[in-house]
Amino acid sequence: MNYKRRLQGIMIAGSVALAGPVFAETPSAAMLGNTCAGCHGTHGNSQGPATPTIAGVSSEYFIDAMMGYKNGDRAATIMDRIAKGYTDEEIKLMAEFFSTQKMERPEQKVDAALAKKGMKMHEKYCEKCHADGGRSTEDDAGMLAGQWTPYLHFTMSDFMSGKREMPKKMKKKVEELQAKGGDAAIEALIHYYGSQK
Amino acid sequence: MSNFNRRDFLKLSGGAVAAASSMSFSSFAIGGASKKVVIVGGGIGGATAAKYIRMADASIEVTVIEPNANYHTCFMSNEVIGGERTIDSIRFGYKGLQAHGVNVVQDSVTAIDAAARTVKTAGGKSFAYDRCIVSPGVDFRWDTIEGYDETVAETIPHAWKAGSQTVTLRKQLEAMKDGGTVCIAPPPNPFRCPPGPYERASLIANYLKHHKPKSKLIILDPKPKFSKMGLFTAGWEKYYGFKSDNALIEWHGTPEGSKDNVLQSLDAKSRTVKTEFNEVTADVLNVIPAQKAGKIAFAAGLTNDSGWCPVDLKTFESTIHKNIHVIGDAAIQAPMPKSGYAANSQAKVCAVAVVSLLNEMAMPQPSYVNTCYSIIAPGDGISVAAVYRYNNETGKIEGVKGAGGLTPGYDKSTMEMRAREEQYAHSWFKNITHDVFG
């Protein structure tokens, strides 16, 4: 890790030199981001099997997710309880921290035949918004390529059951996909994303 | 960049921090000698602090002194006892730390000289430091239960430091006849891993239910209540017949002000424990004694009358000895619990404090988190979480109001969500151990 960059990132709140530490009111982005590592992995790269990687997420997506947890709009097991602990300003700082990290895509067990089928589904129904095989995080897209598959299962289950609201465009495409291939098509998609490096 | 000095950096850190990122800080070490940090204890707190100091400032020399070649995590050791996991899966070495440039020394620290700033070991070595971090975990108050000591604990294990005793307890459960009695005696507050004894009871009960269903598990508790109590007892009712005539788990608590189920004595030969109220002879006995800070904290004079170490909660520097920081279970860090996640979180705050102090830089406001999962039965995980802030006026750590708290009860959630929490519990384990030792 680049020493200069890390030190600067961690010490960013400094304003004057003193013999002892002095405290600003808001913790630094790294101070906040490092508290998440115990569940989401160092710098947000999860070792799995289920907790999602958040390294490399877009700032907009991160803020949207955290605000959703905070307001109770997004289904959660534990993140609703944790997100309430942070101010909007702190959430922005955390977004800055995680959006500037590089996502690692781990080796996962996937069914190669299903993944191949999923690739076709992806190209037809998802690529337009989740560009570059689900790698792109532009336009608030969530990171799909290389995300842990149990988490993708949880997420799709929440979308399908209505616990989490789908964006309009997504809803239309998922309905089309379901009409064509049923739950098996969604399963295939998850295997495709899990197979991506 | 030899023309860029510390003074320039400090100026820059005020208004133009971004500019500093392109500069070299290697000239900062005063007089050219690198700064030295010695960390006593390679558990969750110590190992995390070592790694995060090196990640923040690789010019600092970090030495971890730890008596064992490997560390067995206390968390998830209950799954080993319940037969759901192998002991190998909770064992971690120090190669990861070494890859971060940490000097790992296998030795026991016997003394810390705060005035001379040196650490001495049983192996006869002496290590000089600019800052010392002490993360010794807990030790047991062996004088509280008549008939129980370190030698007896080899056959009647506490298994509260994971490792050989975890395996002993598992083997005893495997060898027990169907229809046997298991007795767990949890410690009084405060102690390492507050929900731990009750997760242990759950996972032992799960084993008994499937393999030795005529058996019984009795908990003799010196407390009137315990961590995640409502969630545990609801789970025990659901899976283990708790409160029914055919209960697999019985819990005997102690009302405030009484001594009903406070362990008084133990007879190792007959495996009998006595409280004021109860006498239980068990086939498998698990006694977890009252606790205090690890031995070196006492030897170094870092403890107060409570048996724990008072610290400044923003830097974790001892309020007794300057230049020595204490983190994790041994420190007085309420309202944070004595948990692995808390130790990991405190270690990161302490690492930033130490790097700031050694570089004579201002330190950012601390932020701390605790997240703690327990498993009631396979497919049923629960959690407690809290986000903490440091109060600049009172010098205390405070849980953020309206945040954190427990998994909802069965009436307010679904088994699908409990199954997710179990998967997140296992993810928590993989991520925290990688964050600490990876």
Side-chain angles (χ1 to χ4, degrees):
Chain A
M1 186 53 66
N2 184 312
Y3 161 50
K4 295 170 278 181
R5 193 168 65 79
R6 298 289 312 154
L7 189 66
Q8 187 254 323
I10 288 171
M11 306 306 163
I12 201 154
S15 58
V16 275
L18 289 167
V22 159
F23 294 85
E25 287 303 319
T26 302
S28 67
M31 173 65 81
L32 290 162
N34 285 339
T35 64
C36 311
C39 294
H40 287 280
T42 309
H43 303 145
N45 271 304
S46 174
Q47 305 299 308
T51 307
T53 281
I54 53 176
V57 67
S58 75
S59 185
E60 295 82 359
Y61 181 90
F62 184 92
I63 292 168
D64 186 61
M66 287 291 277
M67 295 310 284
Y69 288 133
K70 202 172 159 177
N71 302 332
D73 297 336
R74 180 161 166 161
T77 53
I78 194 167
M79 278 311 302
D80 50 344
R81 290 176 264 153
I82 291 173
K84 289 186 184 83
Y86 299 101
T87 64
D88 294 359
E89 175 61 22
E90 286 167 339
I91 288 172
K92 268 189 210 158
L93 286 168
M94 290 160 121
E96 180 190 295
F97 179 79
F98 288 111
S99 64
T100 51
Q101 305 293 336
K102 193 175 184 308
M103 183 192 191
E104 290 163 10
R105 295 187 164 86
E107 200 66 48
Q108 292 191 70
K109 258 192 199 163
V110 288
D111 182 317
L114 266 181
K116 206 173 160 191
K117 203 175 139 199
M119 182 172 77
K120 286 186 187 137
M121 304 289 173
H122 169 80
E123 280 164 3
K124 194 161 176 201
Y125 297 95
C126 316
E127 173 69 20
K128 204 172 165 191
C129 297
H130 293 282
D132 196 14
R135 277 181 194 76
S136 172
T137 57
E138 273 178 40
D139 295 332
D140 319 354
M143 298 182 307
L144 304 181
Q147 188 53 277
W148 290 99
T149 57
Y151 174 72
L152 293 174
H153 277 116
F154 300 160
T155 305
M156 284 314 289
S157 158
D158 288 345
F159 278 133
M160 304 307 287
S161 69
K163 267 206 262 180
R164 183 173 160 194
E165 204 184 338
M166 283 189 261
K168 252 192 196 155
K169 277 188 214 161
M170 178 179 172
K171 193 163 190 285
K172 192 166 160 266
K173 289 291 175 190
V174 168
E175 278 168 2
E176 280 173 34
L177 173 68
Q178 261 243 319
K180 182 101 188 294
D183 290 347
I186 288 170
E187 186 67 21
L189 263 180
I190 290 172
H191 280 259
Y192 168 65
Y193 295 129
S195 74
Q196 293 302 289
K197 291 282 170 310
Chain B
M1 284 250 166
S2 55
N3 60 346
F4 180 74
N5 62 29
R6 198 167 88 234
R7 190 183 167 139
D8 287 334
F9 167 75
L10 294 170
K11 247 193 280 170
L12 277 170
S13 66
V17 174
S21 66
S22 63
M23 306 294 179
S24 167
F25 294 172
S26 56
S27 59
F28 281 2
I30 294 161
S34 57
K35 298 285 182 182
K36 290 183 176 66
V37 174
V38 173
I39 299 178
V40 181
I44 302 305
T48 306
K51 176 174 165 176
Y52 274 76
I53 288 173
R54 291 286 304 172
M55 288 202 304
D57 185 349
S59 78
I60 297 173
E61 271 180 45
V62 179
T63 301
V64 171
I65 307 172
E66 159 63 42
N68 301 304
N70 296 294
Y71 182 80
H72 289 90
T73 62
C74 200
F75 43 79
M76 288 297 165
S77 67
N78 286 330
E79 283 199 336
V80 178
I81 293 164
E84 305 283 321
R85 174 184 284 277
T86 65
I87 188 79
D88 298 349
S89 74
I90 63 165
R91 182 187 303 126
F92 296 88
Y94 294 102
K95 285 208 175 96
L97 282 192
Q98 284 162 343
H100 285 281
V102 176
N103 177 29
V104 181
V105 176
Q106 195 180 338
D107 205 340
S108 292
V109 173
T110 50
I112 305 171
D113 186 334
R117 285 193 282 173
T118 53
V119 165
K120 289 207 161 46
T121 69
K125 290 201 179 105
S126 179
F127 296 84
Y129 65 78
D130 295 292
R131 293 259 157 196
C132 180
I133 300 174
V134 180
S135 187
V138 297
D139 192 11
F140 301 101
R141 294 177 186 270
W142 295 109
D143 56 342
T144 54
I145 305 161
E146 195 194 319
Y148 195 54
D149 58 29
E150 257 175 300
T151 312
V152 176
E154 291 304 312
T155 48
I156 298 177
H158 52 74
W160 215 241
K161 292 184 181 181
S164 64
Q165 288 194 16
T166 310
V167 176
T168 302
L169 185 53
R170 173 64 197 162
K171 282 187 180 155
Q172 289 178 355
L173 288 166
E174 282 173 352
M176 190 183 81
K177 65 179 188 290
D178 188 8
T181 300
V182 181
C183 179
I184 299 178
N189 293 323
F191 64 99
R192 160 181 287 180
C193 190
Y198 313 97
E199 181 191 57
R200 177 171 292 181
S202 306
L203 295 180
I204 290 176
N206 179 62
Y207 168 72
L208 297 176
K209 181 181 172 179
H210 292 102
H211 300 274
K212 285 150 192 177
K214 288 181 223 151
S215 309
K216 194 180 270 297
L217 191 157
I218 297 167
I219 306 169
L220 294 178
D221 207 326
K223 305 182 288 297
K225 58 184 184 188
F226 56 85
S227 172
K228 303 177 184 168
M229 187 172 182
L231 292 169
F232 274 118
T233 53
W236 295 348
E237 282 180 44
K238 185 178 174 78
Y239 303 108
Y240 312 124
F242 186 61
K243 289 184 185 163
S244 75
D245 293 341
N246 208 14
L248 222 162
I249 296 183
E250 282 178 19
W251 178 76
H252 302 271
T254 300
E256 207 73 64
S258 95
K259 289 191 169 175
D260 289 5
N261 286 301
V262 177
L263 236 58
Q264 292 176 333
S265 66
L266 180 150
D267 179 57
K269 213 170 171 192
S270 65
R271 293 182 189 275
T272 302
V273 283
K274 274 186 197 161
T275 73
E276 204 165 272
F277 213 73
N278 271 302
E279 180 175 323
V280 175
T281 298
D283 297 283
V284 176
L285 189 52
N286 174 214
V287 174
I288 309 162
Q291 293 159 31
K292 59 184 177 182
K295 278 193 185 76
I296 187 63
F298 284 86
L302 292 164
T303 53
N304 67 13
D305 290 347
S306 71
W308 305 97
C309 305
V311 292
D312 177 327
L313 292 165
K314 65 191 180 234
T315 61
F316 291 94
E317 185 167 9
S318 165
T319 54
I320 299 173
H321 289 303
K322 279 205 178 316
N323 305 312
I324 302 177
H325 302 247
V326 186
I327 53 174
D329 295 344
I332 299 170
Q333 24 107 324
M336 294 187 82
K338 296 189 187 299
S339 75
Y341 204 107
N344 175 258
S345 185
Q346 291 160 13
K348 290 171 189 174
V349 173
C350 179
V352 169
V354 164
V355 172
S356 303
L357 287 159
L358 291 180
N359 284 291
E360 293 181 42
M361 290 162 69
M363 175 188 168
Q365 185 79 0
S367 177
Y368 332 71
V369 166
N370 179 57
T371 301
C372 164
Y373 284 95
S374 305
I375 294 169
I376 303 177
D380 193 340
I382 56 172
S383 60
V384 65
V387 178
Y388 302 94
R389 292 176 192 284
Y390 177 74
N391 185 319
N392 293 350
E393 262 136 52
T394 61
K396 286 183 175 154
I397 291 175
E398 292 170 355
V400 177
K401 285 199 180 80
L406 296 159
T407 296
Y410 293 118
D411 53 333
K412 290 193 179 108
S413 186
T414 61
M415 287 318 294
E416 191 203 338
M417 295 308 255
R418 288 293 182 94
R420 283 188 198 182
E421 288 228 72
E422 189 207 26
Q423 290 205 50
Y424 286 143
H426 292 143
S427 304
W428 177 103
F429 175 74
K430 286 197 77 172
N431 280 307
I432 194 168
T433 53
H434 187 264
D435 191 46
V436 176
F437 298 107

